[in-house]
């Protein structure tokens, strides 16, 4: 088995995933409330690896040999290879908790959370998500929604503005419509918010590692301002360059390993 090839390929896959993370961060540099993700790599003294195989014909002897690992024609499956020492793999991605830059808009429906916490929103199917983006607006049905159309959730469910002409949100997250208290925005926090999962732009969903949402009893809301993305463009560009160079180095290592293997086969195969 060419362990050197598998080791180099593993490093290439890590850098490919790193580029995906960086690319997603850069794509959302102008998304309000977006928080960058950071790739977390781990080195292991020894890991088990396998390869993907696709059998194109039915081979009874092969199926009997594979047993529980037998595959149907044209179906891909995994076959254990063995172990590789001193390899590096991407373990997970974590969300940065650094706050974004504050942008003054003077729009009464633009708000930001001063401190930790997330607004609660839901989509048209009733799925609940969380966001730092406070760029809200009134839709055609008189509901308070995010800039991407998710419904803002208050203490009584979706915030219905009706035919109100003047809407404002105070520093405690209370929504007033034409001078009357209409709803209290829900703001929640998590035990480990860094493990929240991005599901699209600034939307997040809970995970077992993040813990369940906890209500923030006294949220601090700033009206007429937005929290911009916390993506640092220069830092992300540096990470992109590093990942590209590491990928090229790993690809070169795979090529060298393949060339050496070819020379070995040629040398061993020559008659004495």
């Amino acid at each position: 088995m060419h362990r050197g090839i598998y080791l180099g390929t593993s490093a290439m896959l890590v850098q490919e995933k790193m580029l995906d993370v960086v690319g997603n961060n850069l794509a959302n540099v102008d998304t309000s409330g977006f928080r960058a993700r950071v790739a977390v790599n781990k080195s292991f003294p020894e890991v088990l690896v396998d390869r993907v195989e696709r059998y194109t014909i039915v081979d009874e002897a092969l199926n009997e040999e594979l047993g529980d690992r037998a595959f149907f024609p044209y179906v891909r499956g995994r076959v254990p290879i063995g172990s590789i020492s001193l390899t590096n793999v991407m373990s997970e991605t974590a969300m940065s908790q650094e706050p974004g830059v504050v942008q003054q808009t003077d729009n009464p429906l633009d708000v930001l959370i001063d401190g930790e916490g997330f607004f609660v929103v839901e989509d048209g199917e009733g799925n609940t998500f969380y966001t730092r983006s406070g760029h809200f607006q009134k839709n055609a049905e008189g509901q308070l929604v995010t800039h991407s159309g998710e419904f803002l959730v208050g203490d009584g469910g979706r915030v219905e503005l009706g035919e109100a002409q003047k809407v404002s949100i105070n520093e405690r997250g209370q929504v007033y419509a034409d001078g009357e208290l209409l709803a209290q925005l829900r703001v929640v926090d998590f035990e480990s918010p860094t493990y929240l999962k991005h599901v699209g732009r600034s939307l997040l969903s809970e995970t077992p590692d993040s813990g369940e949402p906890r209500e923030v009893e006294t949220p601090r809301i700033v009206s007429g301002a937005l929290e911009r993305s916390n993506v640092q463009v220069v830092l992300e560009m540096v990470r992109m360059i590093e990942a590209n160079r590491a990928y090229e180095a790993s690809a070169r290592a795979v090529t060298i390993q393949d060339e050496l293997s070819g020379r070995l086969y040629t040398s061993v195969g020559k008659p004495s």
Side-chain angles (χ1 to χ4, degrees), residues 98-112:
E98 293 294 326
V101 176
V102 175
Q103 177 186 2
Q104 293 292 334
T105 66
D106 296 325
N107 184 340
L109 294 184
D110 284 343
V111 295
L112 65 83

Side-chain angles (χ1 to χ4, degrees), residues 1-267:
M1 182 187 70
H2 307 297
R3 294 180 184 269
I5 292 179
Y6 289 119
L7 189 61
T9 303
S10 174
M12 291 171 66
L13 291 174
V14 168
Q15 300 309 321
E16 183 177 341
K17 293 178 181 178
M18 176 74 76
L19 288 170
D20 290 340
V21 173
V22 172
N24 184 63
N25 288 341
L26 290 174
N28 287 282
V29 69
D30 291 324
T31 302
S32 64
F34 179 84
R35 289 194 165 179
R37 299 200 75 85
V38 180
V40 180
N41 298 336
K42 289 186 178 180
S43 297
F44 293 89
E46 186 173 89
V47 295
L48 295 175
V49 295
D50 52 28
R51 70 176 182 269
V52 174
E53 291 283 4
R54 185 175 69 177
Y55 298 98
T56 58
I57 60 173
V58 177
D59 189 327
E60 297 297 337
L62 179 61
N63 288 342
E64 183 178 351
E65 178 183 349
L66 292 175
D68 294 338
R69 303 196 309 276
F71 306 105
F72 295 102
Y74 301 100
V75 177
R76 293 171 58 178
R78 295 183 179 277
V79 176
I81 295 173
S83 61
I84 292 182
S85 300
L86 302 176
T87 190
N88 190 46
V89 299
M90 177 173 285
S91 173
E92 59 189 358
T93 62
M95 185 174 67
S96 169
Q97 293 302 297
E98 293 294 326
V101 176
V102 175
Q103 177 186 2
Q104 293 292 334
T105 66
D106 296 325
N107 184 340
L109 294 184
D110 284 343
V111 295
L112 65 83
I113 301 174
D114 183 11
E116 295 304 314
F118 302 86
F119 295 110
V120 181
V121 300
E122 63 179 32
D123 62 13
E125 298 178 354
N127 300 311
T128 300
F129 301 104
Y130 310 93
T131 181
R132 290 283 298 184
S133 175
H135 186 26
F136 304 137
Q137 58 190 5
K138 179 181 176 181
N139 67 7
E141 288 73 34
Q143 298 166 311
L144 193 59
V145 298
T146 67
H147 63 284
S148 53
E150 289 78 29
F151 303 98
L152 198 62
V153 177
D155 53 357
R158 296 179 182 179
V159 180
E160 304 282 349
L161 302 177
E163 301 297 329
Q165 298 299 314
K166 183 179 180 181
V167 181
S168 62
I169 303 173
N170 69 11
E171 67 279 1
R172 289 179 291 178
Q174 296 173 322
V175 181
Y176 285 84
D178 291 336
E180 295 185 4
L181 178 60
L182 186 65
Q184 168 70 52
L185 295 183
R186 286 187 61 197
V187 178
V188 300
D189 198 7
F190 297 84
E191 181 178 355
S192 302
T194 187
Y195 293 113
L196 289 170
K197 178 183 178 181
H198 271 110
V199 293
R201 301 183 70 81
S202 61
L203 294 180
L204 305 162
S205 64
E206 64 182 280
T207 66
D209 292 330
S210 71
E212 296 182 353
R214 305 172 299 187
E215 297 289 336
V216 177
E217 298 298 333
T218 55
R220 300 192 304 273
I221 304 297
V222 178
S223 181
L226 287 176
E227 178 185 354
R228 305 300 301 174
S229 166
N230 70 348
V231 175
Q232 301 180 45
V233 176
V234 175
L235 178 59
E236 296 299 331
M237 292 301 294
V238 170
R239 288 175 176 166
M240 179 179 289
I241 293 172
E242 290 176 345
N244 271 313
R245 290 178 176 175
Y247 185 93
E248 292 173 357
S250 300
R252 180 58 180 164
V254 171
T255 301
I256 292 175
Q257 182 70 34
D258 183 57
E259 292 175 351
L260 291 176
S261 297
R263 293 176 185 176
L264 177 62
Y265 296 150
T266 303
S267 176

